[in-house]
């Protein structure tokens, strides 16, 4: 729409598009309002959109993902979670235990990451594990512990949703809903979080392409939720020196393709504590909008991912280093 277009012509265009069977998504911007349209291309071509009052230009988006595309929104999106921001110059430092094991373990980690200046607290109440005999998380009890940690520290909570049956409980407890790598293409689950009002951290599947990750995000945005952060967490290759191969090239590619913030998870990619810091530094240098790392007060006794969790006593030094690098890249920890 033209820079001087008032709400009336915007509403009129949206109404005509909806009458034509299309979905219209309005994105106000600094210079102009953009209306993203998803629908039958041939049918939309019959509408004289250029002649509607207030319309400045009509631009076809050729890529299969529409709403997440830079063509839809050229400026970067900023995600605001209880005053903590990620994207467009704000760097998210998300940290906490892999899983909520018991109250004191979680509270110790929460206090440590809070004191070190983290943006948000991560922690899994429901855990997807390769072995059915491994620790599966505490479920609702874990969510209650996370809520208590938020009350004490003030840190927003990032926790994983694995099953559509748990949507209500997780939405009630979480500030950011994590969709893990195994569920990246669980389209029913993506639609559910798309209908929620909570921010979403969407992890790339271990064998997923960048386009498939963006198409997964499209499912969320199509339902009306534009608060999505994309997460690169390593992909499966022939290499076995690390748990997964961290695809740092995905960061600048995603920054070119989408307006959504890009977060990197060096913990799951490395699978080794000694590699988390160098991979995190590399992620900052590659232009990531944030990192998500695992922290435990006693990693050797952790019930899941013990080998890759940063000791809480060492996290302060790690956070200072990441903060300095983020500042060097022109970003501030949100």
């Amino acid at each position: 729409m033209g820079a001087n277009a008032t709400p009336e012509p915007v509403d009129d265009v949206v109404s005509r598009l909806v009458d034509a069977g299309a979905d219209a998504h309005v994105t106000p911007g600094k210079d102009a309002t953009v209306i993203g349209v998803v629908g039958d291309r041939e049918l939309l071509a019959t509408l004289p959109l250029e002649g509607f009052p207030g319309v400045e230009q009509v631009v076809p988006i050729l890529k299969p993902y529409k709403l997440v595309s830079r063509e839809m929104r050229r400026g970067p999106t900023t995600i605001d979670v209880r005053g903590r921001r990620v994207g467009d110059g704000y760097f998210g430092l998300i940290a906490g235990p892999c899983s909520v094991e018991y109250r004191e373990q979680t509270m110790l980690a929460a206090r440590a990451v809070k004191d070190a200046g983290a943006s948000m607290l991560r922690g899994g109440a429901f855990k997807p594990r390769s072995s059915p005999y491994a620790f599966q998380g505490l479920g609702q009890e874990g969510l209650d512990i996370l809520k208590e940690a938020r009350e004490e520290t003030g840190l927003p909570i990032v926790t994983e949703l694995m099953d559509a049956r748990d949507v209500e409980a997780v939405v009630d407890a979480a500030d950011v809903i994590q969709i893990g790598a195994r569920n990246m293409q669980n389209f029913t689950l993506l639609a559910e979080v798309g209908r929620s009002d909570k921010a979403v951290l969407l992890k790339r599947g271990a064998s997923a392409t960048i386009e498939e990750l963006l198409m997964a995000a499209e499912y969320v945005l199509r339902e009306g939720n534009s608060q999505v952060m994309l997460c690169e967490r390593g992909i499966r290759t022939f290499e076995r020196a690390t748990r997964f191969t961290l695809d740092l090239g995905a960061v600048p590619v995603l920054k070119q393709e989408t307006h959504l913030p890009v977060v990197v998870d060096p913990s799951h990619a490395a699978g080794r504590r000694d590699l988390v810091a160098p991979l995190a530094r590399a992620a900052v240098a590659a232009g990531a909008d944030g990192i998500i790392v695992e922290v435990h007060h006693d990693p050797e006794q952790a019930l899941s991912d013990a080998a890759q969790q940063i000791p809480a006593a060492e996290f302060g030094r790690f956070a200072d280093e990441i903060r300095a690098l983020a500042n060097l890249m022109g970003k501030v920890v949100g």
Side-chain angles (χ1 to χ4, degrees):
M1 303 297 290
N4 299 319
T6 61
E8 287 76 15
V10 173
D11 293 341
D12 181 56
V13 172
V14 169
S15 177
R16 296 194 189 199
L17 290 168
V18 172
D19 289 344
D23 292 330
H25 302 261
V26 180
T27 305
K30 295 178 182 178
D31 301 318
T33 295
V34 175
I35 303 176
V37 187
V38 180
D40 186 305
R41 183 180 295 273
E42 293 183 3
L43 178 61
L44 292 173
T46 65
L47 298 178
L49 295 172
E50 294 89 343
F52 290 175
V55 174
E56 183 174 284
Q57 62 177 327
V58 178
V59 181
I61 298 177
L62 303 179
K63 293 170 180 172
Y65 41 88
K66 311 297 183 184
L67 304 177
V68 307
S69 171
R70 279 278 184 188
E71 297 175 57
M72 166 64 179
R73 180 171 180 169
R74 297 199 175 277
T77 290
T78 301
I79 308 296
D80 190 312
V81 184
R82 292 179 175 260
R84 307 302 179 105
R85 289 170 288 188
V86 181
D88 194 18
Y90 294 100
F91 189 86
L93 180 52
I94 307 169
C98 172
S99 59
V100 177
E101 300 167 6
Y102 54 93
R103 179 185 178 279
E104 189 59 22
Q105 165 257 352
T106 303
M107 299 305 291
L108 285 170
R111 292 167 190 143
V113 301
K114 165 68 174 178
D115 292 344
S119 309
M120 304 182 202
L121 173 67
R122 63 147 295 149
F126 301 92
K127 295 301 300 178
R129 306 301 299 279
S130 299
S131 170
Y133 307 110
F135 178 63
Q136 305 290 316
L138 298 179
Q140 182 61 55
E141 181 184 353
L143 294 176
D144 292 339
I145 292 172
L146 287 171
K147 287 193 285 187
E148 183 181 351
R150 178 176 57 207
E151 290 174 8
E152 178 176 321
T153 65
L155 293 176
I157 298 301
V158 181
T159 195
E160 184 168 355
L161 172 64
M162 292 173 49
D163 194 308
R165 292 171 295 184
D166 300 315
V167 168
E168 185 176 347
V170 173
V171 168
D172 176 67
D175 300 297
V176 178
I177 301 172
Q178 176 181 308
I179 300 297
R182 292 174 175 85
N183 274 315
M184 190 205 81
Q185 290 183 311
N186 184 335
F187 302 124
T188 301
L189 201 60
L190 295 175
E192 287 288 346
V193 298
R195 289 188 282 268
S196 78
D197 61 353
K198 297 295 177 73
V200 177
L201 179 70
L202 178 61
K203 287 196 166 187
R204 180 183 181 184
S207 301
T209 65
I210 290 175
E211 180 175 301
E212 287 168 340
L213 172 61
L214 291 169
M215 290 302 293
E218 189 83 2
Y219 270 88
V220 181
L221 269 72
R222 189 179 186 278
E223 295 297 329
N225 187 350
S226 61
Q227 303 178 88
V228 177
M229 294 175 275
L230 304 173
C231 183
E232 164 58 40
R233 44 80 70 200
I235 54 176
R236 180 165 289 157
T237 69
F238 58 82
E239 183 54 67
R240 290 294 172 263
T242 53
R243 187 177 181 185
F244 293 96
T245 298
L246 185 61
D247 183 8
L248 287 174
V251 176
V253 171
L254 286 168
K255 298 292 287 182
Q256 291 175 1
E257 291 294 314
T258 180
H259 53 86
L260 300 175
V262 180
V263 175
V264 171
D265 178 353
S267 297
H268 281 91
R272 291 167 42 187
R273 190 175 305 119
D274 61 319
L275 295 180
V276 173
L279 290 180
R281 293 194 296 265
V284 178
D289 297 298
I291 58 172
I292 178 169
V293 295
E294 296 182 341
V295 178
H296 197 287
H297 75 284
D298 187 7
E300 287 74 14
Q301 302 301 317
L303 298 181
S304 59
D305 287 348
Q308 66 198 38
Q309 301 204 57
I310 301 172
E314 300 175 12
F315 182 71
R317 185 171 67 249
F318 172 89
D320 288 343
E321 188 177 68
I322 295 302
R323 188 179 297 107
L325 284 171
N327 291 341
L328 189 64
M329 295 295 294
K331 299 177 180 179
V332 296
V333 174

